[in-house]
Amino acid sequence: MQSLLHRLGWAALAATLVSGSAFAGDAAKGKVAFVKNGCYQCHGFVGQGGAGAKLAPKPLPLEAMVSFVRSTNRQMPPYSEQILSNNDLDDIHAYLESIPVGPDPKSIPLLNP
Ligand code: HEC
């Protein structure tokens, strides 16, 4: 019995690893966290920028984003892990990554008379 549980545990872990959800953030949850933590107030709802920098499309790599958000001492207030968990930050990164790049202005006839 114990060995069965043991095996089921490994199967579940393997399934999680294969689907990638053990590491990758969840973009839908990230969108909620982005709004809940007030990121949108300075960076805009889709990270387009405003008072804060443009964050998307093509956000900073996850590690760089995490270290910035934890330690910034310029205009943006730092967010400690007590306020914003690593999980939420992973999700926020996934959300920013999910924002599509807009079309090339040269491909829009109205803008190229
Ligand atoms: C009070 C306004 C404000 C809020 C709220 C805010 N930011 Fe910022 N953020 C800024 C500003 C301004 C900058 C530009 C750097 C600076 O002056 O600190 C910045 C820069 C950044 C950068 C670096 C971008 C780059 O390309 O260098 C990241 C990443 C970032 N913010 C993420 C976040 C996330 C994630 C949240 C929410 C958890 C958030 N910010 C909330 C104002 C804000």
Side-chain angles (χ1 to χ4, degrees):
M1 185 61 192
Q2 206 198 350
S3 121
L4 177 65
L5 278 177
H6 195 223
R7 252 186 276 160
L8 283 176
W10 281 112
L13 179 62
T16 320
L17 291 177
V18 167
S19 70
S21 55
F23 301 115
D26 179 320
K29 284 195 212 150
K31 187 173 185 176
V32 174
F34 192 78
V35 173
K36 202 183 88 189
N37 290 284
C39 315
Y40 79 93
Q41 292 176 359
C42 298
H43 293 287
F45 276 105
V46 290
Q48 76 272 29
K54 179 164 95 61
L55 303 180
K58 301 185 182 157
L60 292 176
L62 180 62
E63 303 73 43
M65 193 181 105
V66 172
S67 80
F68 181 88
V69 169
R70 295 281 182 237
S71 64
T72 171
N73 57 6
R74 290 180 291 173
Q75 283 183 51
M76 178 173 149
Y79 287 69
S80 70
E81 223 180 310
Q82 285 77 47
I83 298 171
L84 178 65
S85 71
N86 279 329
N87 246 343
D88 282 355
L89 213 40
D90 267 15
D91 291 343
I92 287 175
H93 190 263
Y95 168 57
L96 295 173
E97 267 195 325
S98 76
I99 293 166
V101 179
D104 179 350
K106 292 193 194 101
S107 73
I108 302 173
L110 259 181
L111 299 179
N112 295 280

